[in-house]
PDB file of all heavy atoms in Angstrom:
ATOM      1  N   GLU A1367       5.275  19.668  17.017  1.00 96.00           N
ATOM      2  CA  GLU A1367       5.788  21.024  16.774  1.00 96.00           C
ATOM      3  C   GLU A1367       4.884  21.825  15.839  1.00 96.00           C
ATOM      4  O   GLU A1367       5.198  22.966  15.490  1.00 96.00           O
ATOM      5  CB  GLU A1367       7.196  20.932  16.183  1.00 96.00           C
ATOM      6  CG  GLU A1367       8.204  20.273  17.123  1.00 96.00           C
ATOM      7  CD  GLU A1367       9.496  19.890  16.420  1.00 96.00           C
ATOM      8  OE1 GLU A1367       9.660  20.266  15.231  1.00 96.00           O
ATOM      9  OE2 GLU A1367      10.331  19.216  17.041  1.00 96.00           O
ATOM     10  N   ASP A1368       3.777  21.219  15.397  1.00 96.00           N
ATOM     11  CA  ASP A1368       2.768  21.854  14.547  1.00 96.00           C
ATOM     12  C   ASP A1368       3.269  22.187  13.142  1.00 96.00           C
ATOM     13  O   ASP A1368       2.691  23.019  12.441  1.00 96.00           O
ATOM     14  CB  ASP A1368       2.200  23.124  15.204  1.00 96.00           C
ATOM     15  CG  ASP A1368       0.817  23.477  14.627  1.00 96.00           C
ATOM     16  OD1 ASP A1368       0.062  22.550  14.284  1.00 96.00           O
ATOM     17  OD2 ASP A1368       0.516  24.676  14.511  1.00 96.00           O
ATOM     18  N   TYR A1369       4.349  21.525  12.691  1.00 97.00           N
ATOM     19  CA  TYR A1369       4.721  21.615  11.283  1.00 97.00           C
ATOM     20  C   TYR A1369       3.778  20.751  10.437  1.00 97.00           C
ATOM     21  O   TYR A1369       3.540  21.039   9.265  1.00 97.00           O
ATOM     22  CB  TYR A1369       6.159  21.155  11.065  1.00 97.00           C
ATOM     23  CG  TYR A1369       7.198  22.126  11.580  1.00 97.00           C
ATOM     24  CD1 TYR A1369       7.869  21.892  12.775  1.00 97.00           C
ATOM     25  CD2 TYR A1369       7.500  23.288  10.873  1.00 97.00           C
ATOM     26  CE1 TYR A1369       8.834  22.782  13.252  1.00 97.00           C
ATOM     27  CE2 TYR A1369       8.448  24.189  11.331  1.00 97.00           C
ATOM     28  CZ  TYR A1369       9.116  23.930  12.529  1.00 97.00           C
ATOM     29  OH  TYR A1369      10.052  24.817  12.995  1.00 97.00           O
ATOM     30  N   CYS A1370       3.298  19.684  11.045  1.00 97.00           N
ATOM     31  CA  CYS A1370       2.275  18.832  10.448  1.00 97.00           C
ATOM     32  C   CYS A1370       1.139  18.688  11.465  1.00 97.00           C
ATOM     33  O   CYS A1370       1.310  19.006  12.644  1.00 97.00           O
ATOM     34  CB  CYS A1370       2.837  17.455  10.100  1.00 97.00           C
ATOM     35  SG  CYS A1370       4.103  17.475   8.814  1.00 97.00           S
ATOM     36  N   GLN A1371       0.003  18.199  11.001  1.00 96.00           N
ATOM     37  CA  GLN A1371      -1.155  18.075  11.871  1.00 96.00           C
ATOM     38  C   GLN A1371      -1.776  16.686  11.724  1.00 96.00           C
ATOM     39  O   GLN A1371      -1.637  16.040  10.671  1.00 96.00           O
ATOM     40  CB  GLN A1371      -2.222  19.139  11.538  1.00 96.00           C
ATOM     41  CG  GLN A1371      -1.781  20.574  11.787  1.00 96.00           C
ATOM     42  CD  GLN A1371      -0.808  21.097  10.732  1.00 96.00           C
ATOM     43  OE1 GLN A1371      -0.964  20.788   9.533  1.00 96.00           O
ATOM     44  NE2 GLN A1371       0.198  21.851  11.154  1.00 96.00           N
ATOM     45  N   VAL A1372      -2.443  16.238  12.774  1.00 95.00           N
ATOM     46  CA  VAL A1372      -3.221  15.005  12.660  1.00 95.00           C
ATOM     47  C   VAL A1372      -4.446  15.304  11.803  1.00 95.00           C
ATOM     48  O   VAL A1372      -4.845  16.474  11.634  1.00 95.00           O
ATOM     49  CB  VAL A1372      -3.655  14.469  14.044  1.00 95.00           C
ATOM     50  CG1 VAL A1372      -2.445  14.097  14.879  1.00 95.00           C
ATOM     51  CG2 VAL A1372      -4.519  15.481  14.769  1.00 95.00           C
ATOM     52  N   LEU A1373      -5.038  14.284  11.249  1.00 94.00           N
ATOM     53  CA  LEU A1373      -6.232  14.465  10.441  1.00 94.00           C
ATOM     54  C   LEU A1373      -7.365  14.996  11.313  1.00 94.00           C
ATOM     55  O   LEU A1373      -7.498  14.601  12.482  1.00 94.00           O
ATOM     56  CB  LEU A1373      -6.647  13.141   9.795  1.00 94.00           C
ATOM     57  CG  LEU A1373      -5.883  12.696   8.547  1.00 94.00           C
ATOM     58  CD1 LEU A1373      -4.437  12.339   8.860  1.00 94.00           C
ATOM     59  CD2 LEU A1373      -6.578  11.491   7.898  1.00 94.00           C
ATOM     60  N   ASP A1374      -8.181  15.900  10.767  1.00 92.00           N
ATOM     61  CA  ASP A1374      -9.348  16.363  11.520  1.00 92.00           C
ATOM     62  C   ASP A1374     -10.517  15.416  11.272  1.00 92.00           C
ATOM     63  O   ASP A1374     -10.386  14.415  10.545  1.00 92.00           O
ATOM     64  CB  ASP A1374      -9.702  17.810  11.165  1.00 92.00           C
ATOM     65  CG  ASP A1374     -10.110  17.997   9.698  1.00 92.00           C
ATOM     66  OD1 ASP A1374     -10.496  17.016   9.034  1.00 92.00           O
ATOM     67  OD2 ASP A1374     -10.040  19.151   9.221  1.00 92.00           O
ATOM     68  N   ASP A1375     -11.662  15.712  11.868  1.00 91.00           N
ATOM     69  CA  ASP A1375     -12.808  14.791  11.797  1.00 91.00           C
ATOM     70  C   ASP A1375     -13.230  14.518  10.357  1.00 91.00           C
ATOM     71  O   ASP A1375     -13.521  13.368   9.984  1.00 91.00           O
ATOM     72  CB  ASP A1375     -13.989  15.362  12.583  1.00 91.00           C
ATOM     73  CG  ASP A1375     -13.748  15.367  14.084  1.00 91.00           C
ATOM     74  OD1 ASP A1375     -12.795  14.683  14.532  1.00 91.00           O
ATOM     75  OD2 ASP A1375     -14.499  16.044  14.815  1.00 91.00           O
ATOM     76  N   ALA A1376     -13.245  15.570   9.533  1.00 91.00           N
ATOM     77  CA  ALA A1376     -13.665  15.397   8.139  1.00 91.00           C
ATOM     78  C   ALA A1376     -12.659  14.540   7.370  1.00 91.00           C
ATOM     79  O   ALA A1376     -13.042  13.687   6.553  1.00 91.00           O
ATOM     80  CB  ALA A1376     -13.834  16.756   7.466  1.00 91.00           C
ATOM     81  N   ASP A1377     -11.353  14.752   7.643  1.00 91.00           N
ATOM     82  CA  ASP A1377     -10.314  13.970   6.967  1.00 91.00           C
ATOM     83  C   ASP A1377     -10.411  12.495   7.362  1.00 91.00           C
ATOM     84  O   ASP A1377     -10.284  11.605   6.516  1.00 91.00           O
ATOM     85  CB  ASP A1377      -8.927  14.509   7.326  1.00 91.00           C
ATOM     86  CG  ASP A1377      -8.716  15.934   6.851  1.00 91.00           C
ATOM     87  OD1 ASP A1377      -9.179  16.264   5.748  1.00 91.00           O
ATOM     88  OD2 ASP A1377      -8.083  16.718   7.596  1.00 91.00           O
ATOM     89  N   TRP A1378     -10.615  12.247   8.665  1.00 92.00           N
ATOM     90  CA  TRP A1378     -10.745  10.858   9.125  1.00 92.00           C
ATOM     91  C   TRP A1378     -11.953  10.191   8.486  1.00 92.00           C
ATOM     92  O   TRP A1378     -11.879   9.026   8.061  1.00 92.00           O
ATOM     93  CB  TRP A1378     -10.866  10.800  10.637  1.00 92.00           C
ATOM     94  CG  TRP A1378      -9.588  10.943  11.395  1.00 92.00           C
ATOM     95  CD1 TRP A1378      -9.302  11.848  12.371  1.00 92.00           C
ATOM     96  CD2 TRP A1378      -8.402  10.137  11.258  1.00 92.00           C
ATOM     97  NE1 TRP A1378      -8.020  11.671  12.838  1.00 92.00           N
ATOM     98  CE2 TRP A1378      -7.450  10.623  12.176  1.00 92.00           C
ATOM     99  CE3 TRP A1378      -8.063   9.061  10.446  1.00 92.00           C
ATOM    100  CZ2 TRP A1378      -6.180  10.076  12.300  1.00 92.00           C
ATOM    101  CZ3 TRP A1378      -6.794   8.514  10.567  1.00 92.00           C
ATOM    102  CH2 TRP A1378      -5.870   9.016  11.484  1.00 92.00           C
ATOM    103  N   LEU A1379     -13.051  10.919   8.408  1.00 92.00           N
ATOM    104  CA  LEU A1379     -14.268  10.342   7.832  1.00 92.00           C
ATOM    105  C   LEU A1379     -14.056  10.012   6.356  1.00 92.00           C
ATOM    106  O   LEU A1379     -14.472   8.940   5.885  1.00 92.00           O
ATOM    107  CB  LEU A1379     -15.443  11.307   8.004  1.00 92.00           C
ATOM    108  CG  LEU A1379     -16.806  10.803   7.500  1.00 92.00           C
ATOM    109  CD1 LEU A1379     -17.188   9.503   8.203  1.00 92.00           C
ATOM    110  CD2 LEU A1379     -17.884  11.864   7.716  1.00 92.00           C
ATOM    111  N   GLU A1380     -13.386  10.907   5.637  1.00 89.00           N
ATOM    112  CA  GLU A1380     -13.108  10.635   4.218  1.00 89.00           C
ATOM    113  C   GLU A1380     -12.211   9.409   4.061  1.00 89.00           C
ATOM    114  O   GLU A1380     -12.461   8.547   3.211  1.00 89.00           O
ATOM    115  CB  GLU A1380     -12.447  11.849   3.578  1.00 89.00           C
ATOM    116  CG  GLU A1380     -12.138  11.647   2.093  1.00 89.00           C
ATOM    117  CD  GLU A1380     -11.392  12.822   1.487  1.00 89.00           C
ATOM    118  OE1 GLU A1380     -11.205  13.836   2.172  1.00 89.00           O
ATOM    119  OE2 GLU A1380     -10.984  12.706   0.317  1.00 89.00           O
ATOM    120  N   ALA A1381     -11.148   9.323   4.892  1.00 88.00           N
ATOM    121  CA  ALA A1381     -10.254   8.166   4.824  1.00 88.00           C
ATOM    122  C   ALA A1381     -10.993   6.885   5.171  1.00 88.00           C
ATOM    123  O   ALA A1381     -10.797   5.844   4.534  1.00 88.00           O
ATOM    124  CB  ALA A1381      -9.075   8.371   5.763  1.00 88.00           C
ATOM    125  N   TYR A1382     -11.845   6.958   6.162  1.00 90.00           N
ATOM    126  CA  TYR A1382     -12.620   5.795   6.611  1.00 90.00           C
ATOM    127  C   TYR A1382     -13.550   5.302   5.504  1.00 90.00           C
ATOM    128  O   TYR A1382     -13.635   4.104   5.224  1.00 90.00           O
ATOM    129  CB  TYR A1382     -13.408   6.194   7.853  1.00 90.00           C
ATOM    130  CG  TYR A1382     -14.348   5.153   8.399  1.00 90.00           C
ATOM    131  CD1 TYR A1382     -13.868   4.052   9.102  1.00 90.00           C
ATOM    132  CD2 TYR A1382     -15.727   5.292   8.251  1.00 90.00           C
ATOM    133  CE1 TYR A1382     -14.741   3.104   9.631  1.00 90.00           C
ATOM    134  CE2 TYR A1382     -16.602   4.360   8.772  1.00 90.00           C
ATOM    135  CZ  TYR A1382     -16.114   3.264   9.465  1.00 90.00           C
ATOM    136  OH  TYR A1382     -16.974   2.337   9.982  1.00 90.00           O
ATOM    137  N   ARG A1383     -14.225   6.228   4.858  1.00 88.00           N
ATOM    138  CA  ARG A1383     -15.135   5.843   3.773  1.00 88.00           C
ATOM    139  C   ARG A1383     -14.374   5.271   2.594  1.00 88.00           C
ATOM    140  O   ARG A1383     -14.814   4.309   1.963  1.00 88.00           O
ATOM    141  CB  ARG A1383     -15.955   7.059   3.336  1.00 88.00           C
ATOM    142  CG  ARG A1383     -17.038   7.460   4.331  1.00 88.00           C
ATOM    143  CD  ARG A1383     -17.697   8.767   3.946  1.00 88.00           C
ATOM    144  NE  ARG A1383     -18.855   9.056   4.791  1.00 88.00           N
ATOM    145  CZ  ARG A1383     -19.469  10.236   4.839  1.00 88.00           C
ATOM    146  NH1 ARG A1383     -19.019  11.233   4.083  1.00 88.00           N
ATOM    147  NH2 ARG A1383     -20.507  10.407   5.612  1.00 88.00           N
TER     148      ARG A1383
END
Side-chain angles (χ1 to χ4, degrees):
E1367 297 166 7
D1368 202 34
Y1369 288 103
C1370 295
Q1371 295 75 38
V1372 297
L1373 281 68
D1374 63 20
D1375 291 346
D1377 297 322
W1378 281 125
L1379 183 58
E1380 181 184 354
Y1382 176 75
R1383 287 172 172 167

